[in-house]
Amino acid sequence: MFSLKGEYIIQLPGDVLRIALPLLIYFVLMFVVSFYLAFKLKADYEKSATLAFTAASNNFELAIAVAVAVFGINSGAAFAAVIGPLVEVPVLISLVNLSFYFKRHYFDAAS
């Protein structure tokens, strides 16, 4: 699927940005809000981090399968579903650093 859509990703950078930017905002917002709520509910760091990463991540494997089955492999929905993991993985890896920052400043300080 990724190799089939690779050419479109190069040819349509504007479309990629229109899909990627809201996803980026979604991942970061869900992560921060979930982490904050867990912290306010007095969850420890391990539970807070687990909750935040679970809330921020998506099931793009399922989204790709549904998009292809319902709309076809050449549809815009399939293209959008392919962009999701390409954005999700680096963003969640970056959020690991934010998680460590929260641990140092909010959880270790409370101990």
Side-chain angles (χ1 to χ4, degrees), residues 42-80:
K42 309 277 190 247
D44 60 8
Y45 170 75
E46 288 76 14
K47 288 182 182 151
S48 298
T50 301
L51 176 72
F53 280 108
T54 301
S57 65
N58 279 306
N59 293 320
F60 279 109
E61 305 83 14
L62 180 60
I64 291 170
V66 169
V68 169
V70 173
F71 301 107
I73 198 159
N74 292 318
S75 68
F79 178 69

Side-chain angles (χ1 to χ4, degrees), residues 17-98:
L17 283 176
R18 278 194 342 206
I19 296 165
L21 192 58
L23 285 172
L24 173 71
I25 293 167
Y26 168 80
F27 295 136
V28 173
L29 188 64
M30 286 299 293
F31 182 84
V32 171
V33 168
S34 299
F35 219 112
Y36 175 77
L37 290 174
F39 177 75
K40 283 298 184 185
L41 292 171
K42 309 277 190 247
D44 60 8
Y45 170 75
E46 288 76 14
K47 288 182 182 151
S48 298
T50 301
L51 176 72
F53 280 108
T54 301
S57 65
N58 279 306
N59 293 320
F60 279 109
E61 305 83 14
L62 180 60
I64 291 170
V66 169
V68 169
V70 173
F71 301 107
I73 198 159
N74 292 318
S75 68
F79 178 69
V82 166
I83 300 302
L86 298 177
V87 174
E88 180 183 24
V89 171
V91 170
L92 289 178
I93 290 171
S94 298
L95 288 173
V96 168
N97 292 319
L98 183 59

